[in-house]
Amino acid sequence: VQLQASGGGLQQTGGSLRLSCAASGSSFSINYMGWYRQAPGKQRELVATITRSGRTNYADSVKGRFTISVDNAKNSVSLQMNSLKPEDTAVYYCDAVLFMSDGTPVALSGQGTLVTVSS
């Protein structure tokens, strides 16, 4: 099982970007998926998470601007980022906790995707 992230890129302040992440493989179910980010010289931080049932959690810094959504049928999560700010510039990572068919939990982290917001 692996995670594949896509999206990101360069955007101006106030613009929008959409990140997507899909879990591929077989015989698993989503417990939760989410996005974290790491800016240059800073620690990795939570952006948003969502459970299979749709319960969401957002960092205060992105509330009202970012929206996370999950597609359980496609085992994917998306992050719609609106009203982007230069401080949103970071490498964004997709993380997930999945349950395998035997109930074993598996924590995964996808490759990072760079988001750059110009002022």
Side-chain angles (χ1 to χ4, degrees):
V1 181
Q2 61 181 359
L3 299 177
Q4 182 67 44
S6 61
L10 175 64
Q11 185 56 270
Q12 293 182 336
T13 296
S16 298
L17 285 172
R18 186 176 183 86
L19 305 181
S20 297
C21 176
S24 62
S26 61
S27 303
F28 65 87
S29 62
I30 296 172
N31 179 19
Y32 82 87
M33 299 184 76
W35 292 93
Y36 294 75
R37 66 187 182 187
Q38 187 166 19
K42 295 186 177 181
Q43 291 186 334
R44 196 182 198 201
E45 63 176 2
L46 166 76
V47 177
T49 62
I50 187 167
T51 67
R52 181 179 183 85
S53 62
R55 180 181 301 175
T56 58
N57 181 43
Y58 293 94
D60 288 342
S61 60
V62 307
K63 284 181 180 177
R65 300 189 297 121
F66 290 11
T67 302
I68 190 170
S69 59
V70 67
D71 186 332
N72 291 314
K74 296 182 178 180
N75 294 317
S76 65
V77 63
S78 296
L79 184 70
Q80 178 65 41
M81 304 184 294
N82 299 327
S83 302
L84 285 165
K85 303 176 180 180
E87 50 264 42
D88 293 320
T89 295
V91 177
Y92 285 69
Y93 297 90
C94 172
D95 283 8
V97 172
L98 310 176
F99 285 119
M100 306 308 293
S101 57
D102 64 357
T104 302
V106 175
L108 298 173
S109 185
Q111 87 281 10
T113 183
L114 178 63
V115 171
T116 304
V117 183
S118 62
S119 58

